[in-house]
């Protein structure tokens, strides 16, 4: 219940702050606060639902997390932290390729053809989506700069 309460209160604070921005739909599409408003509203709703669900269920004697569950969290969060570090050193696309490749192979235990497809495909889709279609540049590393991307 405490975590759900914190999520709800955090989302509520975002909702209060985002009121300073336009949250509607303008002539050129969504205004600056449109997506933050609706994401925070959805998050507040989820926090409230989780809080109510936990309140109905009552106190539990089960541990919050077992050691096996914690190892699963580490299996995801440690490589993710490494990915964030790689973005600063190698750029977003190469860092994403390495992270996705590692995660697909180690955590997902997929075969090499799937790993290769995900490792190449996802960064390419992200590149074309952000760089070409939305015109939003993502952090570049030395390899992208050398290729002129």
């Amino acid at each position: 219940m405490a975590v759900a309460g914190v999520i709800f209160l955090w989302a509520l604070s975002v909702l209060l702050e985002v009121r300073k921005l336009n949250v509607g739909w303008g002539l050129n599409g969504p205004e600056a606060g449109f997506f933050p408003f609706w994401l925070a509203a959805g998050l507040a709703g989820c926090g409230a639902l989780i809080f109510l669900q936990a309140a109905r269920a009552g106190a539990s004697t089960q541990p919050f997390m077992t050691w096996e569950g914690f190892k699963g969290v580490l299996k995801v969060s440690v490589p993710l932290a490494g990915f964030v570090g790689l973005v600063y050193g190698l750029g977003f696309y190469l860092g994403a390729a390495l992270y996705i490749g590692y995660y697909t192979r180690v955590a997902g235990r997929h075969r090499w053809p799937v790993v290769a497809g995900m490792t190449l495909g996802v960064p390419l889709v992200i590149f074309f989506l952000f760089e070409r279609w939305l015109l939003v540049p993502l952090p570049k590393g030395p390899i992208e700069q050398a290729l002129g991307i």
Side-chain angles (χ1 to χ4, degrees), residues 3-17:
V3 173
V6 168
I7 289 171
F8 177 78
L9 291 175
W10 178 71
L12 191 62
S13 71
V14 172
L15 283 171
L16 294 174
E17 279 299 309

Side-chain angles (χ1 to χ4, degrees), residues 100-135:
I100 291 168
Y102 169 83
Y103 192 78
T104 306
R105 181 65 182 167
V106 174
R109 298 184 180 148
H110 292 283
R111 294 185 314 216
W112 285 109
V114 174
V115 173
M118 293 294 289
T119 300
L120 297 173
V122 172
L124 280 173
V125 168
I126 291 172
F127 173 78
F128 283 107
L129 176 68
F130 283 96
E131 300 274 345
R132 299 293 185 227
W133 186 39
L134 298 174
L135 302 175

Side-chain angles (χ1 to χ4, degrees), residues 25 61 136:
W25 198 271
T61 59
V136 176

Side-chain angles (χ1 to χ4, degrees), residues 53-70:
Q53 188 179 36
R56 277 193 214 145
S60 174
T61 59
Q62 298 293 326
F64 176 71
M65 183 178 294
T66 64
W67 178 245
E68 290 301 315
F70 185 65

